[in-house]
Amino acid sequence: MKTLFLLLIMTLSISSLAQTIVSGQVIDEKNIPVLGANVYLKGTYDGTTTDIDGKFSFETTETSTVTLVASFIGYEDYIQQSDVRELNGVEIRFRESVNSLNSVILNAGTLSAGDSSKASALKPLDIVTTAGAVGDFVGALQTLPGTSANPDDGRLFVRGGSGEETQVFIDNSRVFRPFVPVTGNIPTRGRFSPFLFDGISFSTGGYSAEYGDALSSVLLLNTTDIPTEEKTDLQIMSVGGGVGGNTQIWGGKNSVSVNASYINLGPYNQLIPQNNQFEDPYESISGEAVYRHQLEKGMFKAYSAYSYSNFSILQEDINIEDGIFFGLKNGNYYGNLNYEQRLNNDWKMETGLSLAHDRNDINVAGTDVDTRENALHAKIKLRKRYNNYFKIHYGVEQFLINYKEGVVIEDNAFESSVNSSNSGVFTEAEVFLSKDLAFKAGVRADYYGLSEELLISPRLSAAISVSKNWQASIAYGQFYQQAQNNILQYNEQLAPESAEHYILNFLYQKDGRMLRAETYYKNYSSLLTYDTDRPQFDSNFEVNGDGYATGLDIFWRDEKTVKNLDYWISYSYLDTERQYLNFQETATPNFASSHNFSTVGKYWVEDLKSQIGITYNYTSGRTFTNPNLEGFLNDKTASFQSLNLNWAYLIDQQKIVFLSVTNILGRENIFNYQYSNTPDQMGNFDRRSIGQAADRFIFVGFFLTLGSNDNQLDNL
C-alpha cells in the first residue's frame, strides 16, 4: 500500500512538471484590446478566450513545437508556430479581414452582375426584365455607362471602340462568334440565353492580364454552378417558342440544364409593318446544354450550344431601283469544357478548352460568298492564396483559328484562307495592405504567329477606401488585338492594333444605393488602314492609324428610397477621333456618340401581382459624310430617342404573362444616310435615310414553370 501511494505521488509530480503556461494579450491594429477572441493550440483541446483587457492564459501538456491560433470575427486568423515554452507573454496583433463587407474593391473599369459581387451594377434577372432588352444580355448592358447605343447594329460599342473590340467569354473560355450574323440595318442579338447564366462581369477597360486580344472590353458570362432544384420553363412567344431551361439533378453531384428555342418572324411581320422588305423572314433554331459534376474539391462543367438561322431580304438602294438581294444562312456550334480543382497548400487549378465552328452561306445580288471558321482556345491557370492579403495566379493559353472564304462571281471562283496560332502567358497578383488599400499588378505576353511578334502588356490597378462608403480606384493597361479574319485573308503579316487605358473611378455604396463615377483616356495606335472603299485583294493595308477616346461615365442605382421601386440612371460623355480603315482624315466614327443617357425603372405592384418596367434611351447624333458639304464625316444625324415599356403579370407561382413594347411612341430614328452616286441637275446629291428595321417591336410571351415551388418574378 505504501508503494502504491509513492507511485501516485510521483505520477502527480511528473504531471505537474509537464504543465506549460501559454499566455499573452490580443490587440488590434490600433492597440485596442480584443474581448472574446478564441486562442488555442491547433490539434488539441487546450485554449481559452480573451478577457476585457484582451488577455488570455491557459495550461497545456504539450512539450514540443505547437501551432498557436487566435481568431475573431472581422479579423484575419493569427497563426504562430513555435516551441511551446516560448508562448508565455505573447503579443498577438490582429489585422482586419479583407473579406469583411466594407473592404475595398478593385473595380475600376468593371461592372458586375451577380449576387456574389460586392459591387453589382446589375442583378442576373435584370437581363431579362429590362424594358427594351427583350431578353438579350447585350440590350441590358447597353443601359450601362461606357456603351454607345447602336440599335442598328446590336453589338457592344464601348468607350469609342468598334463592335469588334469587345471579346466574350463563357466560363473563362473564348467565344469566337458570340453574335448572330445579319446585314445592314438589322440589329444582331447575342446567341446565348440568359437563363443559363448566374453571373456577368462587363469590363469597359483596364481588365485583368488574364484576357488578351481585345482592345476595348471583355464580357465574362458564367454558367450556374449548382442548381438548387429541378424544373422546366416553357415559353410561348409572339415570335416563336421554346424550353427556357430544363434542369435535372441526380446523385447529389450531377446536374444538366437544357435550353432550346425556335424563332420565326414570318407571322409577326405579317401583323406588324416592317421597314425592310423580307423575301424570306428571319428564322432560327437554337439549343444549349450545361452538364455539371461536383467533385470533392472542385467542379467539372461542359457547355454546348448550336444555332442555325436564315433569312433573305431585298435591301433598298438609292442607286439601284429594284434594290439589292441579300440572303444568309448561318450555322454555329460552340462548346467548352472547364475543370477546376482545389489543391494542397491553398493552390487552385483551373483548365478550359473551347471549340467553335461557324459557317456562312451568303448571296449578294447573285454573288455567292461561303465562309468557314474553326477555332480552338485552350487555357490552364494556377492560383495560389498565401493568405487573404496576398494572392497570385499564373496562366498559359493557346488560340488556333482556321478561316476560309470562297467567292463565286458568275463563273469565276476565288478562294482565300488564314491559319493563325497565337500563344499567351500571364501572371497577376492581388495585394491587400489592409481592408482599405489594395493593389493588383499583372503582365501578359502574347506571341502572334502570323506577324511573328511578341508583345508585352502590363496591367496595374489600385483601390483605396476614402471612408466607410466611398472608395477611389485607378487602373492602367496596355492592350493588343489582331485584325479580323476577313482582313488577314488579304495580308497575313499585319501587326496587331494597340490601345492604352487610363482610368480613375469613384464608388459610393450605402443601404441599397450605388453611385459610380469614372473618367478615362484611351490612346490608340497601330490601327488598320487601307486605301480602297472596302477591303479587297488590291488594297494597300497598313497599321499606321491612331486615335484617342476620353470621357466620363456616371451610374446611379437606388433600390431603397421608394418601396417596390428599383431604378438606375446612367450617363456617358465621349470625345473620340481616329484615323483608321479608309478614313480620309482624323474624325469621329459613325458608331460613336458624344452623349448617351439611359434611365431604367422597375416597379412592383403588389395588388396587381405585376412588375411594370420603363426604359428611356437618349443618344446624341452620329456623324456621316454629306457630299453636299465640304469635308469628311462632316454632318450629324438627329438624336436617337426611345421609350420602352414592359409589363410582367404573375398569374400564379408558375405562370407569367410578359408584354414588351420597344419605342412605344414610334419615333423615327435615323442612324445614317445613303447618297446617290451622281448629283442632280442642280449639283446636289439625293439621299435616303437609314433608320430602324421597324418603328416598334412588340413582344408577347407566356412563361410556365414546371416542377418548382418558386417563380423568379416573385423574388423581384
Side-chain angles (χ1 to χ4, degrees):
M1 185 70 179
K2 182 178 180 180
T3 302
L4 181 61
F5 178 75
L6 290 173
L7 289 173
L8 179 60
I9 294 297
M10 291 176 63
T11 301
L12 292 174
S13 299
I14 294 171
S15 175
S16 177
L17 290 172
Q19 293 285 347
T20 301
I21 301 297
V22 177
S23 65
Q25 185 183 28
V26 178
I27 57 177
D28 63 14
E29 293 175 307
K30 299 179 180 179
N31 296 320
I32 299 175
V34 178
L35 169 66
N38 294 314
V39 185
Y40 60 94
L41 297 181
K42 187 176 181 179
T44 76
Y45 293 101
D46 302 329
T48 186
T49 58
T50 57
D51 61 19
I52 193 171
D53 296 318
K55 295 181 178 180
F56 65 92
S57 179
F58 61 90
E59 295 180 341
T60 181
T61 58
E62 299 296 315
T63 59
S64 58
T65 301
V66 295
T67 301
L68 178 68
V69 180
S71 64
F72 192 72
I73 295 174
Y75 295 94
E76 288 287 310
D77 287 352
Y78 175 89
I79 301 175
Q80 178 181 338
Q81 190 174 48
S82 66
D83 191 295
V84 69
R85 292 169 296 183
E86 300 175 359
L87 296 178
N88 192 359
V90 178
E91 181 182 276
I92 297 175
R93 186 180 296 273
F94 271 152
R95 299 176 68 183
E96 285 188 283
S97 172
V98 297
N99 287 333
S100 59
L101 291 177
N102 59 341
S103 60
V104 72
I105 308 164
L106 288 159
N107 75 322
T110 300
L111 293 152
S112 297
D115 296 333
S116 62
S117 172
K118 292 187 291 184
S120 293
L122 296 182
K123 294 178 291 186
L125 278 177
D126 289 327
I127 305 302
V128 293
T129 58
T130 296
V134 198
D136 184 17
F137 59 84
V138 175
L141 294 174
Q142 286 176 345
T143 66
L144 296 180
T147 62
S148 295
N150 285 265
D152 54 325
D153 186 290
R155 294 175 297 169
L156 281 168
F157 293 77
V158 178
R159 291 182 171 174
S162 66
E164 291 81 10
E165 294 178 21
T166 296
Q167 299 289 13
V168 179
F169 295 80
I170 292 180
D171 293 332
N172 282 325
S173 292
R174 171 87 167 270
V175 182
F176 294 88
R177 297 290 174 180
F179 299 101
V180 177
V182 289
T183 186
N185 200 33
I186 298 180
T188 185
R189 289 175 60 88
R191 294 185 186 274
F192 310 107
S193 166
F195 295 102
L196 297 181
F197 302 99
D198 67 351
I200 293 177
S201 178
F202 176 42
S203 292
T204 53
Y207 31 93
S208 167
E210 182 177 348
Y211 306 104
D213 204 43
L215 279 187
S216 287
S217 171
V218 294
L219 174 61
L220 312 178
L221 306 174
N222 300 312
T223 57
T224 303
D225 283 339
I226 305 173
T228 57
E229 60 182 353
E230 294 186 340
K231 65 176 183 177
T232 300
D233 295 320
L234 301 179
Q235 308 167 1
I236 302 174
M237 303 172 290
S238 55
V239 294
V243 179
N246 176 273
T247 298
Q248 300 296 321
I249 305 172
W250 69 94
K253 295 184 178 181
N254 298 281
S255 64
V256 63
S257 298
V258 178
N259 176 80
S261 66
Y262 171 73
I263 303 296
N264 188 329
L265 293 183
Y268 178 86
N269 291 348
Q270 294 294 322
L271 295 173
I272 308 297
Q274 301 293 302
N275 296 329
N276 290 314
Q277 184 179 340
F278 282 94
E279 297 287 296
D280 297 300
Y282 179 85
E283 184 179 22
S284 72
I285 185 169
S286 61
E288 299 167 273
V290 182
Y291 167 75
R292 317 165 190 88
H293 176 66
Q294 189 174 0
L295 304 166
E296 182 178 352
K297 293 185 178 181
M299 171 76 71
F300 171 78
K301 290 198 292 187
Y303 175 88
S304 185
Y306 177 78
S307 64
Y308 172 82
S309 62
N310 74 84
F311 71 94
S312 63
I313 189 173
L314 195 61
Q315 290 185 303
E316 184 181 354
D317 191 291
I318 195 171
N319 298 300
I320 301 175
E321 183 177 354
D322 295 330
I324 299 175
F325 176 85
F326 180 93
L328 186 150
K329 296 179 181 179
N330 172 258
N332 179 275
Y333 169 79
Y334 172 80
N336 67 43
L337 304 174
N338 287 277
Y339 169 73
E340 61 179 50
Q341 179 75 33
R342 296 187 301 276
L343 307 175
N344 295 331
N345 300 318
D346 286 324
W347 280 93
K348 183 179 180 181
M349 178 182 69
E350 299 177 36
T351 62
L353 175 69
S354 67
L355 297 170
H357 171 75
D358 187 80
R359 174 176 179 174
N360 287 310
D361 293 326
I362 304 170
N363 184 283
V364 182
T367 297
D368 292 319
V369 181
D370 180 30
T371 69
R372 304 285 188 275
E373 181 180 88
N374 295 294
L376 176 146
H377 175 210
K379 178 163 69 174
I380 182 169
K381 181 172 68 173
L382 291 173
R383 184 186 301 270
K384 169 67 174 177
R385 174 189 175 276
Y386 290 91
N387 50 52
N388 283 341
Y389 287 84
F390 183 66
K391 306 170 187 176
I392 191 168
H393 67 262
Y394 316 85
V396 58
E397 61 185 348
Q398 179 69 41
F399 295 91
L400 298 174
I401 301 176
N402 171 257
Y403 176 83
K404 295 181 179 180
E405 180 175 295
V407 179
V408 178
I409 304 176
E410 296 179 349
D411 295 329
N412 299 313
F414 307 90
E415 292 186 357
S416 57
S417 64
V418 176
N419 288 288
S420 62
S421 174
N422 302 332
S423 306
V425 295
F426 56 88
T427 183
E428 195 162 52
E430 285 187 23
V431 181
F432 283 78
L433 299 183
S434 70
K435 72 171 188 175
D436 297 323
L437 181 61
F439 298 90
K440 182 186 289 186
V443 64
R444 180 182 179 88
D446 287 287
Y447 179 76
Y448 289 89
L450 290 178
S451 58
E452 299 181 343
E453 287 189 272
L454 178 65
L455 300 173
I456 307 299
S457 308
R459 315 277 171 89
L460 303 168
S461 62
I464 183 171
S465 179
V466 181
S467 66
K468 182 179 179 180
N469 304 114
W470 282 94
Q471 76 162 53
S473 304
I474 59 173
Y476 164 80
Q478 178 78 51
F479 304 89
Y480 295 96
Q481 185 170 352
Q482 185 171 261
Q484 300 299 301
N485 291 326
N486 63 330
I487 302 294
L488 291 174
Q489 67 178 338
Y490 303 130
N491 187 337
E492 294 185 350
Q493 305 302 314
L494 292 172
E497 298 177 310
S498 174
E500 286 183 291
H501 299 188
Y502 302 85
I503 301 171
L504 174 62
N505 168 282
F506 293 94
L507 173 67
Y508 169 84
Q509 291 189 104
K510 184 179 180 181
D511 299 331
R513 302 174 182 89
M514 174 192 289
L515 174 65
R516 286 175 55 105
E518 194 163 280
T519 185
Y520 61 90
Y521 178 80
K522 291 168 64 176
N523 180 43
Y524 285 97
S525 59
S526 302
L527 294 182
L528 173 72
T529 63
Y530 50 84
D531 58 355
T532 50
D533 288 340
R534 58 181 58 85
Q536 55 195 43
F537 280 105
D538 60 352
S539 300
N540 180 30
F541 294 98
E542 302 285 351
V543 282
N544 55 11
D546 56 17
Y548 72 89
T550 186
L552 173 68
D553 296 336
I554 298 176
F555 178 82
W556 166 259
R557 183 163 190 172
D558 182 359
E559 302 175 73
K560 292 294 184 181
T561 301
V562 179
K563 183 181 179 181
N564 294 333
L565 175 65
D566 176 14
Y567 72 94
W568 68 82
I569 299 171
S570 67
Y571 167 76
S572 295
Y573 168 73
L574 171 65
D575 173 22
T576 182
E577 290 186 349
R578 56 170 62 187
Q579 168 73 53
Y580 88 133
L581 302 185
N582 61 346
F583 277 29
Q584 301 171 12
E585 58 189 64
T586 300
T588 300
N590 172 259
F591 56 75
S593 302
S594 297
H595 304 279
N596 286 269
F597 172 83
S598 294
T599 181
V600 178
K602 302 176 184 183
Y603 185 71
W604 174 255
V605 184
E606 189 67 38
D607 293 340
L608 299 178
K609 292 191 291 186
S610 299
Q611 179 183 269
I612 308 299
I614 182 171
T615 299
Y616 172 72
N617 295 318
Y618 169 89
T619 299
S620 60
R622 288 157 47 175
T623 60
F624 66 93
T625 299
N626 184 346
N628 296 311
L629 303 174
E630 292 185 1
F632 175 69
L633 290 174
N634 52 9
D635 208 345
K636 280 190 176 183
T637 64
S639 64
F640 169 85
Q641 298 182 51
S642 178
L643 180 66
N644 313 310
L645 295 176
N646 65 20
W647 171 56
Y649 173 61
L650 184 65
I651 299 175
D652 59 35
Q653 292 296 97
Q654 282 74 41
K655 303 180 186 69
I656 301 172
V657 173
F658 186 79
L659 169 66
S660 173
V661 183
T662 301
N663 194 30
I664 191 170
L665 299 180
R667 175 182 170 87
E668 183 181 1
N669 290 302
I670 305 300
F671 307 118
N672 207 335
Y673 292 93
Q674 182 196 22
Y675 285 83
S676 61
N677 293 333
T678 57
D680 60 19
Q681 294 179 351
M682 301 297 296
N684 295 319
F685 292 86
D686 291 334
R687 70 180 186 182
R688 73 173 185 91
S689 61
I690 300 175
Q692 301 168 119
D695 294 334
R696 298 176 183 85
F697 182 75
I698 302 173
F699 176 88
V700 180
F702 173 74
F703 302 89
L704 172 65
T705 301
L706 304 176
S708 171
N709 295 321
D710 298 315
N711 192 287
Q712 290 180 322
L713 186 61
D714 192 42
N715 297 320
L716 296 178

